[in-house]
Structures are given as C-alpha cells and as structure tokens.
Amino acid sequence: MLFTRNLLRRVLIMFFASIVLIIGVIFPTEWVQESGTQLQAQPKGPVTDAEKIASSRRSLQEDKAELAKIKKDLDSPTSDYRKAESDFQQLDQKYSDLKKKIEQYTKENMVAELNAATTELKSIEENWKLAKERFNTAIEQRKVMQEKVEALNERIATTQKMLDELEGKTPPVVPKKENPTKKDPPAKEPVTNTTASKLPTNPLMPSLGQSSNTAAPVASDTEEDDRVIEARKRLEMESQELATAESKLAAVEARIKVISENMALEQRLLDTEQQKISQAEEAINKHTEQLRGPEAADPDARTKIFQLIDDAKSRLAKSREEMVKINERLTKLRQELEVARGEQKLAAQLVATERAQVAQAEKELNQLLNPLTVRNITRWIMDKGPSVLGVLLVTLLLLFLVRYCTRYIVTFVSRHNQRGSFSERENRAMTLVGVVRYTATTVILITGSIVLLDTLGVPIVPLMGGAAVLGLAIAFGAQNLIRDYFTGFMILLEDQYGIGDIIKIGSIAGVVERITLRITVLRDLEGVLHFIPHGSITNVSNLTHGWSRALFDIPISYSANVDHIISVLKKIAEEARYDPDLGPKIIEDMEMLGVEEFAESAVIIRFVMKTRPVQQWNVKREMLRRIKNKFDQLGIEIPFNQITVHTADKPTGFEPHPGHNRTNPPHTTKTHQNS
C-alpha cells in the first residue's frame, strides 16, 4: 500500500509539473507574442518629446535597477552559479575518490570492497552528470550576464545622452533658419565653422573668407556680390543642418544597435533558462526513478533523494519565473526597437532631404562661381581687366625702352669713347648691349609675371619662398654655374674681348659671335661653332684687340745682296702704304727688323707691319703676292732645300765583304748643297 501511495503521488506530481510547464512556458510565450502583435497593430501617432522623456526616464531607472540586481547576483555567494559550483565540486570530488578506490581495490584484488565501490559509483554517476550539466549551464549563464552588464552600461549611457538632449542639457548645434531673401551684410569677424572652409570658390574672383595676402578674413560686399554671399550663407546653413541630421541618424542607429545587442543577450538568457528547466525536469525524473531502486530502501538515502527532488522543483519554478521576466524584457525591447526604427526612418528621410538641399545649394553656388559663365567673365573683365592690361602694357613698354636704350648706348659709346677705333668701340658696345638687354629682359619678364599673378589673385608669397629655396639649392649644387657667371662678368668688365674679335681660348681659335654672362660662342675657320663656359677659361689670346701686326720672314739666298733686298722690300711696303685699297688697312710704315737668322739653305730677313684689327692676314697675303712678283721681276731667287747624292766608282778587283750591303755602298754620302 505504501508503495502504491508513493507511486500515485509521484504520478500526480509529474502530471501537475507538466501542466505548470505548459502554462508557464508555452502559453506565456504565445501570449506575449500575441500581445506584442496587438501592440504593434495598435495605431500610433507621433511621439512627443514629453513621451520620449518619460519613457527614457523609466527605461533608465529599470536598466539601472536591473544592472544593480545582476551585479548583486554575480557577487552573491548564494547564487545559482555558486550553488551549482559547490554541488558539482562535492560530487566530482566524491566521484574521483571512488574511481581511485576502485583502481586500488582492483590492484589489491579486494572483491567485496570493489563491488561495493562500483555500486556506489554507479549510484552517484547520474547525479554527477546532472551536476556537471547544471554547472556548465550556470557558467554559460554567468558569461551572458557579464556581457549583459556591459550592454546595460552602454544602454544606460545612450539613454542618458538622449535624455540630456531632450531636456536641453546638451542641446545639438542647430543653426537658426534665416530668410535667404534678406540681404544682410556679412559679419566682420573670422569664420569659425569648418563647413565654410569646404565651400567652393571662384578662381576668377576673391573667395569668401580668403584673400591673397591675409589670413582668410570674411569677404565684404565689394569683393563678392549679394547673390554669391547669399548662396554661400544658404550652403553653409544647409551644410550645418545636414551635419545635425546625420548626427541624429547616427545616434538612432547606435541606439538600435544597443537594443539589438540587448535582445540577443536576453534571447541567450532565455535559451539558458530553457536549458535549466530541461535539466531540472530531467533531474526530477531521474531522482523519481531512484526512489524505485534499491538505494531508496535506506531511509537516509530516501530522504536525500526527496531533498534533491525538492531542490530541482525549486530551480524549475525559479527558471519559469525568470523566463516570464525575460519575455517581458524582450517585449519591451521589441517595442523600443520598433520606436527606434521609426525614428531611424524619419531621420534617414530628413538626411536625404538635407542632402538634396545641400546639393541644390552647391549647384547654385557653383553656377554663380563658374568662371566660364557670361556673368563671371564680364565681372572678371571689369574687375581685373584694367589691372592686367596695365601690367602687360607696362611690361611691353619697359621691353621697348630696354631695346631703345641699348641702341642709344651703342651709338653713344661708339661716338664718345676714345679707346680703339670706331669699329672696336661699336663691337664692345654691342657686346655690353647684348648682355644688358638679356639681363634686363629676364628681370622685366620675371617681375611682370609676378605682378601679373598677384593681380590675378594668385598668392605670390609661397612662390617667392619656393624661388628662394630653389636659388639656395642652385647656389649649393651649381657652383660651376655661379663661377661661369662671375667670370663672364669680369671678362665684360675688363673688356678682354668682344663680338667680332678673333681670340684663342686654349686650343680653340675663332671669331666671337656671341657673349653672355655664362658662355662665349666662337666660330672657327672651318665654320664649327664652339660654346665655351666662362668658368673653364684660364687664359685668352685676343688676336684683334686694338690693332694687329703682320709678321714677315723672307728667305733669300746666301749669295744675294742683303742691303739691296732690304731696300726692295721697303719700296714694296711704301707702295702698299699709299695704295688706295691696301693703304687704309695699314696703320704705320713698315718696321724693318733686319736679318733674323742664318738657316740651312737661306738667310731670313724679318719685318713687321702694323694693321687694323683683323686685317693682318689680308695685308700679309697681299704683301707676299707683291714680293713674289717683284723678286721675279728683278731676278732675285728665293732659295729652297736641295739634296745632292755623291757615289764613288767601284775599284778594279774589289770583292765585297760577305756581310757587305749591296744596296747601300759604304762610300755613298748625302749632302745638302745650296743652289
């Protein structure tokens, strides 16, 4: 009878447990889902700020209370985690001790003790498995709770921030709507908004907040017309409103992310509670079966089993209550998520509208600032045209004056300088004029370009700084170039040679065709053009500087009368001095130097004639022609080298030596004989 009564009681317990499970798990979940559907189906009007503030405060208080409860449960020594940990450690220790005893009894062949230990191990093995599963579930739940602490902290911070904005403690920066048709003068203070720095500018006119020489003051009415100023104001205002709308959208998206993370954590907690319910039900079933086993015969064991069943029922009821709370929190989070998504949709629409307005404002401003429109071209011509034209005219006038002044310098130097002939003075003047004209033209063009850029609004300070740095780099890296210019300046200053002079630099000789501060251009007799840097010149031989001299070395025979021939040469030079064609090329009468040397086959008579620059070769060629004709007329012989070969006759009976060279007899001699 007792067994039947106990069996009936267990059946009733299982029946009522099943009913409670159905009511507590299945029905509440469906009811919550249906309730949520009904809530979603209810018509909702626009949510006011008062409702948002009240809802945010309630949510903030609930989240703080839940956070405090979770922290308390995590730190409590009587929490489910601590209890599951303690129960598992006790069973695990007992389970490990029994396994060690079984191993010991097996080694020592203690059969009775081995059977008793094996039976006891089997009796607690199921409880050990249940405790292990319960402890694993508790560990997983603790991890989720720790993650939920972080999520709740983030949710509380987000809610507090939104509440502060709604209450006006930290208001968002929303620009005041201005009437775009109202024409107010721009402020006379620096622009501090970062959006203004991104506004488009017109390269053909001064931009708002920019100047070529100052650090971005606000433009005045004289710099830009009213339409451009209004367009800039509108674009700046629309850009600020767009930034505010994007900030609100980002805040709503962050709140949606936090809500979604909290929902995921609550769902994980719900799954954990369902696992705990399943484990509690399994524990109840297994402990109930243990009551039917032989171990239930022991009153103490039976009492312990009933305690385990009551503990499992208590955990089952607690998990069901917790599931109801989790479902309530999930329902609340779903409602918040729905509201947040509605706000996200409105914020996204507002952002799209503001972006369209910003794009329209940029389009209008770009049209106003487009340099290719008739309006801007006309305005640019009216504003900048006279200044640009003036700069160009002044530059052209200076270039013309340079050319005119250089021509005047040529005429003045040629007529008033007493050094050298007129041709020499003219060549020197042309040399100086070429250098001065080149230098002045370069300076005028560079200065005119800088002034023109400044007139067009291009900042020239960075350009001048870059030019200074470039000049410094050239000064260090191009020392040879600087030496070329310095040497060229000294050559011109000392008047070492000029254009048209015939000079010799090293092994190169030719006519100077052009001189700059860096190079000298020579053309030799074969027409080859040589470019010689001044830095490489160590010595210069000017063959036509001031005047020239023709040098004559006339050979005569040793048998000729020297005095007679000298008189003949003087007469020829005198005739050339008064010749109408050759005479102007000769500056002075000939200078007879006399007998220069006794050569092998002739006596050398030397004399010189001073000529105009570059004319020494013409004079010398003509004089040599006349001397040859005169000598032929007077029968004066011009000696030349001759070779006479003397060969001795071969004696009778002469036998050559075995080593004798037949082709070169020993008595053959070579002598020079004067004719």
Side-chain angles (χ1 to χ4, degrees):
M1 286 295 293
L2 180 60
F3 177 74
T4 304
R5 195 181 307 153
N6 292 334
L7 180 60
L8 181 61
R9 186 175 64 179
R10 287 195 294 270
V11 171
L12 290 175
I13 291 173
M14 293 294 296
F15 176 74
F16 284 115
S18 301
I19 294 298
V20 172
L21 179 63
I22 293 173
I23 294 174
V25 178
I26 302 176
F27 180 74
T29 305
E30 294 178 355
W31 178 80
V32 169
Q33 293 177 354
E34 292 176 359
S35 300
T37 305
Q38 292 177 0
L39 290 173
Q40 294 177 2
Q42 292 178 358
K44 295 185 178 181
V47 182
T48 62
D49 290 342
E51 293 175 341
K52 291 181 180 180
I53 291 174
S55 176
S56 299
R57 286 179 177 174
R58 287 195 302 269
S59 176
L60 191 62
Q61 293 175 357
E62 293 172 359
D63 291 340
K64 289 182 178 180
E66 185 180 1
L67 179 62
K69 181 179 177 298
I70 292 175
K71 289 183 177 180
K72 183 178 179 181
D73 292 341
L74 290 175
D75 298 334
S76 175
T78 60
S79 62
D80 291 342
Y81 174 80
R82 299 299 180 187
K83 190 174 180 181
E85 181 183 19
S86 176
D87 293 344
F88 177 71
Q89 286 180 352
Q90 292 177 4
L91 287 174
D92 187 65
Q93 184 65 36
K94 189 174 181 181
Y95 187 75
S96 300
D97 293 342
L98 286 174
K99 290 178 71 174
K100 291 179 181 179
K101 288 181 180 181
I102 290 173
E103 292 178 0
Q104 182 180 0
Y105 295 155
T106 303
K107 291 179 181 179
E108 297 177 359
N109 199 14
M110 300 172 65
V111 179
E113 291 80 355
L114 178 61
N115 292 333
T118 303
T119 303
E120 186 178 2
L121 180 65
K122 290 180 180 180
S123 64
I124 69 170
E125 187 173 6
E126 293 296 329
N127 295 335
W128 179 80
K129 291 180 180 179
L130 292 174
K132 183 179 69 172
E133 293 177 359
R134 178 187 170 192
F135 187 42
N136 287 331
T137 305
I139 293 173
E140 181 65 25
Q141 186 182 22
R142 185 176 179 84
K143 293 179 180 179
V144 176
M145 296 299 287
Q146 290 174 347
E147 293 179 6
K148 189 175 180 181
V149 168
E150 298 178 359
L152 281 174
N153 286 326
E154 185 177 359
R155 176 180 168 84
I156 289 171
T158 304
T159 306
Q160 185 65 49
K161 182 179 179 181
M162 183 179 66
L163 184 61
D164 292 340
E165 291 181 358
L166 291 173
E167 292 178 348
K169 295 180 180 179
T170 56
V173 180
V174 180
K176 184 179 178 181
K177 210 59 166 170
E178 297 181 0
N179 187 4
T181 60
K182 186 178 180 182
K183 299 180 180 180
D184 296 331
K188 298 295 183 178
E189 58 185 11
V191 177
T192 58
N193 191 283
T194 56
T195 310
S197 62
K198 299 179 181 179
L199 298 181
T201 58
N202 188 351
L204 295 182
M205 65 180 71
S207 60
L208 180 62
Q210 293 180 349
S211 176
S212 60
N213 297 323
T214 59
V218 179
S220 62
D221 291 339
T222 58
E223 293 177 347
E224 290 185 325
D225 57 15
D226 295 337
R227 294 178 60 188
V228 175
I229 294 174
E230 291 174 4
R232 288 185 183 279
K233 284 184 177 180
R234 181 185 174 191
L235 179 57
E236 183 177 353
M237 181 179 60
E238 296 294 345
S239 299
Q240 291 178 351
E241 292 181 354
L242 174 60
T244 302
E246 289 177 345
S247 176
K248 291 182 178 180
L249 177 60
V252 173
E253 290 177 348
R255 186 149 54 92
I256 290 175
K257 181 181 178 182
V258 172
I259 294 173
S260 301
E261 291 176 353
N262 279 273
M263 290 181 63
L265 291 174
E266 294 292 347
Q267 187 63 44
R268 290 173 61 184
L269 288 174
L270 185 63
D271 296 339
T272 304
E273 293 297 335
Q274 288 178 351
Q275 291 179 6
K276 292 171 69 175
I277 289 174
S278 300
Q279 292 172 3
E281 291 175 350
E282 184 180 0
I284 291 172
N285 293 332
K286 289 185 178 180
H287 293 323
T288 303
E289 291 178 359
Q290 289 178 357
L291 290 174
R292 302 173 187 174
E295 62 271 12
D298 186 2
D300 294 336
R302 188 179 183 84
T303 302
K304 189 174 182 180
I305 291 173
F306 277 115
Q307 290 177 355
L308 293 174
I309 292 174
D310 293 338
D311 182 63
K313 289 179 180 180
S314 176
R315 288 188 282 110
L316 181 62
K318 186 177 180 181
S319 296
R320 287 171 180 168
E321 293 177 0
E322 189 64 28
M323 285 188 65
V324 173
K325 294 179 181 179
I326 293 174
N327 283 322
E328 291 177 354
R329 293 198 295 268
L330 280 173
T331 302
K332 181 183 175 182
L333 289 173
R334 290 192 187 100
Q335 294 174 357
E336 292 182 4
L337 183 62
E338 180 183 1
V339 174
R341 285 178 176 171
E343 294 178 0
Q344 181 189 21
K345 185 176 180 180
L346 294 176
Q349 292 176 355
L350 180 61
V351 168
T353 303
E354 293 296 336
R355 285 178 179 171
Q357 293 178 357
V358 169
Q360 181 64 26
E362 287 182 350
K363 182 178 179 181
E364 293 177 0
L365 182 58
N366 288 329
Q367 289 178 353
L368 291 174
L369 298 178
N370 186 4
L372 299 180
T373 58
V374 177
R375 169 184 173 275
N376 287 331
I377 291 176
T378 305
R379 185 167 181 261
W380 183 85
I381 292 175
M382 294 177 62
D383 292 342
K384 302 294 183 181
S387 301
V388 173
L389 184 60
V391 172
L392 294 177
L393 290 177
V394 170
T395 303
L396 293 176
L397 179 61
L398 290 175
L399 292 175
F400 174 76
L401 289 177
V402 166
R403 290 185 175 274
Y404 176 79
C405 291
T406 51
R407 292 178 182 176
Y408 177 77
I409 290 173
V410 172
T411 305
F412 181 81
V413 173
S414 301
R415 292 179 178 178
H416 296 83
N417 191 6
Q418 301 300 325
R419 179 180 177 183
S421 64
F422 179 81
S423 177
E424 293 176 350
R425 296 195 298 269
E426 186 177 14
N427 289 339
R428 183 172 183 270
M430 288 299 297
T431 302
L432 295 176
V433 163
V435 175
V436 172
R437 182 181 294 177
Y438 173 78
T439 305
T441 302
T442 304
V443 172
I444 291 172
L445 290 178
I446 293 175
T447 306
S449 300
I450 293 175
V451 175
L452 183 62
L453 291 176
D454 184 62
T455 304
L456 293 175
V458 178
I460 62 173
V461 175
L463 295 178
M464 296 179 67
V469 174
L470 181 61
L472 185 62
I474 293 176
F476 281 104
Q479 298 181 7
N480 292 334
L481 188 64
I482 296 175
R483 185 174 63 181
D484 292 341
Y485 281 104
F486 182 77
T487 307
F489 174 77
M490 295 304 298
I491 289 174
L492 294 175
L493 181 65
E494 296 174 357
D495 190 23
Q496 296 181 9
Y497 54 85
I499 295 176
D501 287 349
I502 299 176
I503 64 174
K504 184 177 182 181
I505 300 176
S507 60
I508 301 174
V511 181
V512 179
E513 288 195 352
R514 184 162 57 93
I515 301 177
T516 65
L517 284 177
R518 196 183 73 84
I519 62 172
T520 293
V521 182
L522 296 181
R523 189 179 295 276
D524 61 14
L525 191 60
E526 297 179 355
V528 180
L529 201 64
H530 301 273
F531 297 87
I532 304 174
H534 292 154
S536 63
I537 297 176
T538 57
N539 55 76
V540 179
S541 300
N542 193 336
L543 306 182
T544 58
H545 192 279
W547 51 270
S548 300
R549 177 178 286 169
L551 176 64
F552 298 88
D553 286 330
I554 307 298
I556 63 174
S557 174
Y558 274 92
S559 60
N561 188 339
V562 174
D563 295 333
H564 174 65
I565 293 177
I566 289 176
S567 63
V568 171
L569 292 175
K570 288 182 178 181
K571 186 176 180 181
I572 295 173
E574 185 179 357
E575 292 176 355
R577 180 77 172 83
Y578 296 100
D579 185 87
D581 295 330
L582 189 60
K585 299 178 182 179
I586 303 173
I587 298 176
E588 297 177 356
D589 293 336
M590 69 169 295
E591 181 180 355
M592 177 58 67
L593 301 179
V595 178
E596 177 67 18
E597 66 173 317
F598 296 117
E600 292 183 355
S601 59
V603 176
I604 306 300
I605 298 176
R606 172 172 292 183
F607 68 93
V608 294
M609 297 182 70
K610 193 173 182 180
T611 66
R612 301 287 182 184
V614 195
Q615 300 299 325
Q616 65 268 34
W617 294 286
N618 295 330
V619 172
K620 186 174 183 178
R621 294 187 188 97
E622 180 62 22
M623 283 293 296
L624 291 176
R625 184 185 70 82
R626 294 188 178 196
I627 290 172
K628 175 66 170 64
N629 293 335
K630 192 67 173 180
F631 280 11
D632 291 343
Q633 181 182 357
L634 297 177
I636 300 173
E637 182 181 4
I638 298 175
F640 53 89
N641 293 335
Q642 295 181 357
I643 298 175
T644 303
V645 179
H646 298 274
T647 304
D649 294 336
K650 179 179 177 182
T652 303
F654 173 77
E655 294 293 337
H657 191 271
H660 175 69
N661 187 357
R662 296 180 180 272
T663 61
N664 190 14
H667 295 280
T668 300
T669 60
K670 296 181 180 180
T671 60
H672 296 278
Q673 183 178 3
N674 295 330
S675 301

